[in-house]
Amino acid sequence: MTVIKKVLVAGASGYLGRYAVNEFKGRGYFVRAMVRNPEKLKTAGPHGEPAVYDLIDEIVTGDVTSPESLNGVCKDIDIVFSALGLTSPHPQYTSYDVDYLGNKRILEQALAEKISRFIYVSVFNEDKMAEVLSIKAHELFVADLKKSGLSWAVIRPNGYFSDMGRFFSMAQSGHIFMVGEGKVKINPIHGADLAKVCVDAVDGESREIAVGGPDIYTFREVMELAFNACGKAPWITSLPLWLAEGGLMVTGLFNRNLADLLSFAVEALKFDHIAPAYGTRHLKEFFAELAAKKP
Ligand SMILES: NC(=O)c1ccc[n+]([C@@H]2O[C@H](COP(=O)([O-])OP(=O)(O)OC[C@H]3O[C@@H](n4cnc5c(N)ncnc54)[C@H](OP(=O)(O)O)[C@@H]3O)[C@@H](O)[C@H]2O)c1
């Protein structure tokens, strides 16, 4: 008799989380999704990530900043997959509250239920950005996970196509302000390709898996691709790094949480982000899909 494994997907309403739901379901798992707002799952996300409501076996509503909402979230679960994180500024909560404390609360639930494996999504090049608060929060959790005694996998992606989508939106407006010369390189990955790596990580030893996509671009090339997809001539203005850092300091005076998240973006523009290549989907096609969708 085949035993159906049960997975909890935390962050199931996010860009990666939805593709993970899709991938786990496609491989025959029973999927429990933890989300704040189940309604969100009924429609596609802003970067083409699928509506997954009808695929999910069980939806639980939970907010990691409210510990009591997580009680029992891992009951009868075999695998926990968390792509849960703070990716836009919140007036009250920081990366520490969500990425660290929030995921730690899920880990506590997982430990109480004796699950068999915990897969967590952190970031690539974390050692080069160790002082950035959002990276610190991810890595505090990774340290706790490694010490927990559970079998684990830590996925370290460099950048998602959804993140590159920001350049597409700016290109649509006709102009992009670029920090630096745009020579830094990255091989970003599509959520569907990354989800395959995440689900493959269910099996095998506890390990860290660095992940990038199939094509390497400079940031300037990404922006040019975005302009081409919109049918607009590239208009890119380069701002010196010191100006962006100064801007961050000023932002920090009136919005600390926004400055903390932006500091990741500025820090990340200082070196290449080329991770081992996975997947088959290309950024040019992703931008073409966004262009076809948007008026
Ligand atoms: N984007 C990138 O290029 C990139 C690169 C490397 C690593 N990462 C990491 O990968 C992870 C997933 O990224 P993503 O782009 O898929 O993020 P995303 O689309 O913003 O999704 C984040 C998920 O976390 C959930 N969440 C946030 N705060 C929560 C809370 N208090 N309680 C419960 N759920 C909460 C969100 O729920 P709602 O839908 O309700 O907001 C959403 O489901 C993040 O940890 C990110 O740091 C991202």
Side-chain angles (χ1 to χ4, degrees):
M1 196 183 78
T2 321
V3 179
I4 295 178
K5 281 195 178 172
K6 292 188 167 186
V7 63
L8 172 76
V9 177
S13 53
Y15 175 72
L16 176 56
R18 288 165 184 254
Y19 283 110
V21 166
N22 214 20
E23 188 65 27
F24 275 113
K25 202 61 213 162
R27 295 202 205 180
Y29 283 78
F30 174 100
V31 176
R32 179 183 295 162
M34 195 196 87
V35 289
R36 292 189 284 196
N37 175 9
E39 286 301 305
K40 250 183 124 170
L41 300 165
K42 292 182 177 171
T43 50
H47 299 103
E49 55 275 31
V52 289
Y53 189 87
D54 292 335
L55 294 179
I56 294 169
D57 298 289
E58 187 183 354
I59 297 178
V60 291
T61 307
D63 184 322
V64 293
T65 59
S66 304
E68 63 287 355
S69 73
L70 305 180
N71 287 339
V73 75
C74 294
K75 189 158 176 41
D76 299 328
I77 285 293
D78 301 297
I79 314 285
V80 174
F81 171 76
S82 177
L84 186 152
L86 187 71
T87 58
S88 51
H90 189 280
Q92 192 180 350
Y93 297 111
T94 63
S95 303
Y96 183 87
D97 300 319
V98 176
D99 299 5
Y100 177 51
L101 292 182
N103 279 297
K104 193 175 152 93
R105 287 174 186 137
I106 299 174
L107 177 60
E108 283 159 7
Q109 294 288 325
L111 284 165
E113 295 294 335
K114 300 189 177 50
I115 64 142
S116 60
R117 192 157 170 101
F118 197 120
I119 302 168
Y120 180 64
V121 181
S122 183
V123 290
F124 180 64
N125 268 342
E126 77 293 350
D127 47 339
K128 296 183 178 152
M129 301 181 283
E131 292 312 309
V132 173
L133 292 180
S134 57
I135 306 291
K136 274 190 180 164
H138 274 303
E139 295 312 303
L140 280 171
F141 179 72
V142 168
D144 282 5
L145 179 60
K146 288 179 178 175
K147 280 190 302 207
S148 68
L150 284 178
S151 164
W152 55 267
V154 173
I155 314 296
R156 296 198 174 280
N158 55 358
Y160 304 168
F161 278 11
S162 55
D163 231 28
M164 303 299 119
R166 286 183 296 128
F167 297 119
F168 180 85
S169 306
M170 289 190 268
Q172 276 201 317
S173 77
H175 183 222
I176 299 183
F177 280 111
M178 173 177 73
V179 177
E181 293 301 312
K183 290 180 181 161
V184 163
K185 292 179 184 154
I186 187 163
N187 57 327
I189 186 159
H190 191 287
D193 286 337
L194 177 55
K196 284 191 181 359
V197 181
C198 295
V199 179
D200 286 346
V202 165
D203 299 312
E205 296 296 303
S206 292
R207 63 192 189 279
E208 303 196 20
I209 307 167
V211 190
D215 309 307
I216 299 175
Y217 305 97
T218 64
F219 274 91
R220 183 178 284 276
E221 285 168 343
V222 170
M223 292 171 201
E224 286 168 354
L225 271 185
F227 277 111
N228 287 342
C230 308
K232 296 194 176 177
W235 179 18
I236 303 169
T237 307
S238 169
L239 299 174
L241 205 53
W242 61 261
L243 192 61
E245 288 179 326
L248 263 186
M249 282 173 67
V250 175
T251 305
L253 294 178
F254 60 88
N255 190 337
R256 191 65 261 159
N257 291 354
L258 175 62
D260 287 345
L261 283 179
L262 287 178
S263 71
F264 168 70
V266 172
E267 209 48 37
L269 289 169
K270 294 182 179 170
F271 40 83
D272 292 341
H273 298 266
I274 301 172
Y278 290 83
T280 55
R281 290 165 176 85
H282 302 284
L283 193 58
K284 189 175 172 185
E285 289 147 21
F286 173 73
F287 283 157
E289 285 161 18
L290 291 184
K293 259 195 338 173
K294 297 199 174 168

